[in-house]
Amino acid sequence: MNKRTPFLSALIVSSMILVLAGCGSAAKNDSAEPAAATVAGKDKLKIETSFYPMYEFTRQVAGDLADVHLLVPAGTEPHDWEPTPKDMAAIEQADILVYNGAGLESWVDQVVSGSDSKGMTAVEASKGLELIPGTEEENHDHDHDHDAADGDAHAAEAETGHEEGHAHEHEHEHEHDHGAFDPHVWLSPKLAIGEVRTIEAALSAKAPEHKAQFEKNAAAYIAKLQQLDEQYTKELTGTKRKDFVTQHAAFGYLAHTYGLTQVPIAGLSPEQEPSAQAMAEVVKFAKAHQVKTIFFETLVSSSVADTIAKEVGAKSAVLNPIEGLTAEDEANNLDYLQIMQANLTALVKALNE
């Protein structure tokens, strides 16, 4: 599926030139202060992260023992983002690259395989988790009664992913093209815990002298994620309805974990245009089930959700897939936990209308 080979190959060459140029500059300035910050006289780990949830999870685990950098800029949709030569150079010089995987970052395989940095460790945070199959063109017949009944079963499979998922790792490594699996695992607090644990293990392996602190940091953040999970479980149990309409199919793991049914207008990519038939079927479903809220998301246009909301006499509201922070989010100092709380509030309101 990857049609970006010439583009990324050019980026790899360009990044190597930047790295060599940087090395040359460093050689001419031996008296300069070391570029890397230090902790107790030791260089900090340099960590590149693909997009916001990976940045936040890594930052929480690393604390002040690493310099953690976000590759995808704030306000940018990550599904089709590609690294610049400057980004490639930063990855070359990093100790660790943390990415979600499951096909979200289509550029990773070429970047990692083309890297000359033998010391850089690539960490796929979703590895070992049980992934939900997904396609770019969702099935829009919307006869979802069986989906809600099966939700707990899917959640149980996902939660045991670290123990059972290893049997599927080789299969997943070859099937992580976008569309083969749903990559949005971070939107289930239960699965976010699994990603945090994977990141902690990678940092501890890279800098074993800080293993105890990484474990302590991870445990503290996992406790917050567990509290969030308990709140989701409590507040989503017993709601009047179990189905919700979303602009794109980002909330499958959240739905499965908490026994809900996601009814997406479009597929896994938020920029995918739904067909006229898909939109008609969503309208039919919304009218038949008296849906009063159509969810749209940040970072992409809400026009499709607004159109359907108007057609069925519903309102539109934000359900944030947390694929990146907006300028407003940053101005308000919002983070993953706070946005997930806002999502819960929005869901509970919609499911009780």
Side-chain angles (χ1 to χ4, degrees):
M1 64 160 281
N2 201 326
K3 300 179 181 179
R4 305 185 178 97
T5 301
F7 174 72
L8 282 174
S9 297
L11 283 181
I12 291 169
V13 172
S14 298
S15 68
M16 291 176 66
I17 292 172
L18 287 174
V19 172
L20 291 172
C23 291
S25 297
K28 295 177 183 177
N29 191 12
D30 294 333
S31 61
E33 291 293 322
T38 60
V39 176
K42 295 185 179 180
D43 288 347
K44 287 185 177 183
L45 287 174
K46 297 178 182 177
I47 305 177
E48 294 293 327
T49 60
S50 59
F51 72 118
Y52 175 71
M54 300 303 100
Y55 168 80
E56 179 66 7
F57 296 166
T58 302
R59 188 179 68 85
Q60 292 292 336
V61 174
D64 62 359
L65 297 175
D67 289 325
V68 183
H69 177 253
L70 175 62
L71 287 166
V72 178
T76 302
E77 212 291 317
H79 285 257
D80 295 316
W81 179 88
E82 291 179 342
T84 65
K86 182 179 178 180
D87 296 322
M88 295 284 292
I91 293 170
E92 286 276 347
Q93 297 177 56
D95 297 302
I96 297 174
L97 168 66
V98 178
Y99 65 103
N100 181 76
L104 181 70
E105 303 95 336
S106 60
W107 47 269
V108 163
D109 287 345
Q110 278 195 309
V111 168
V112 172
S113 63
S115 173
D116 285 335
S117 177
K118 305 238 187 298
M120 191 270 287
T121 299
V123 180
E124 183 182 13
S126 67
K127 188 172 184 177
L129 298 177
E130 190 71 20
L131 301 179
I132 298 173
T135 61
E136 281 300 299
E137 185 65 34
E138 294 294 317
N139 179 3
H140 283 283
D141 61 10
H142 297 308
D143 182 14
H144 288 293
D145 292 340
H146 66 285
D147 289 343
D150 289 345
D152 291 335
H154 283 286
E157 290 174 5
E159 290 166 39
T160 56
H162 271 288
E163 289 73 30
E164 298 178 0
H166 293 291
H168 304 278
E169 283 178 11
H170 295 297
E171 175 187 346
H172 288 174
E173 285 171 1
H174 296 290
E175 293 183 296
H176 275 187
D177 290 340
H178 200 68
F181 290 98
D182 181 349
H184 302 86
V185 294
W186 65 90
L187 289 169
S188 165
K190 287 185 185 296
L191 299 185
I193 290 171
E195 294 202 297
V196 170
R197 286 176 173 153
T198 295
I199 293 167
E200 179 275 312
L203 268 60
S204 293
K206 196 72 172 181
E209 68 274 16
H210 298 308
K211 178 179 173 66
Q213 188 61 52
F214 291 144
E215 289 177 342
K216 181 179 178 180
N217 293 346
Y221 192 60
I222 286 171
K224 295 178 181 179
L225 292 172
Q226 289 171 333
Q227 185 177 15
L228 180 67
D229 167 53
E230 290 168 3
Q231 188 175 0
Y232 263 73
T233 300
K234 179 181 178 181
E235 296 194 25
L236 293 175
T237 299
T239 54
K240 291 180 181 179
R241 62 187 310 126
K242 295 297 180 184
D243 47 64
F244 60 100
V245 178
T246 62
Q247 185 160 312
H248 95 281
F251 298 91
Y253 292 99
L254 186 154
H256 288 320
T257 300
Y258 302 106
L260 304 177
T261 299
Q262 170 188 235
V263 181
I265 300 170
L268 292 173
S269 173
E271 295 182 349
Q272 177 191 359
E273 288 293 329
S275 66
Q277 179 183 356
M279 290 186 67
E281 288 172 349
V282 172
V283 167
K284 180 180 178 181
F285 175 89
K287 288 181 176 179
H289 292 78
Q290 298 182 325
V291 173
K292 294 180 173 60
T293 300
I294 306 296
F295 285 115
F296 68 94
E297 62 194 65
T298 56
L299 302 184
V300 295
S301 171
S302 64
S303 60
V304 173
D306 291 338
T307 297
I308 290 180
K310 183 177 180 180
E311 176 71 19
V312 303
K315 64 181 179 296
S316 56
V318 171
L319 195 62
N320 194 334
I322 323 182
E323 294 178 342
L325 297 182
T326 64
E328 184 179 356
D329 293 335
E330 290 190 320
N332 292 324
N333 293 316
L334 295 183
D335 61 17
Y336 171 87
L337 294 173
Q338 292 169 310
I339 296 172
M340 285 295 288
Q341 287 282 357
N343 280 347
L344 176 58
T345 298
L347 275 171
V348 170
K349 181 178 179 180
L351 295 174
N352 283 309
E353 291 176 324

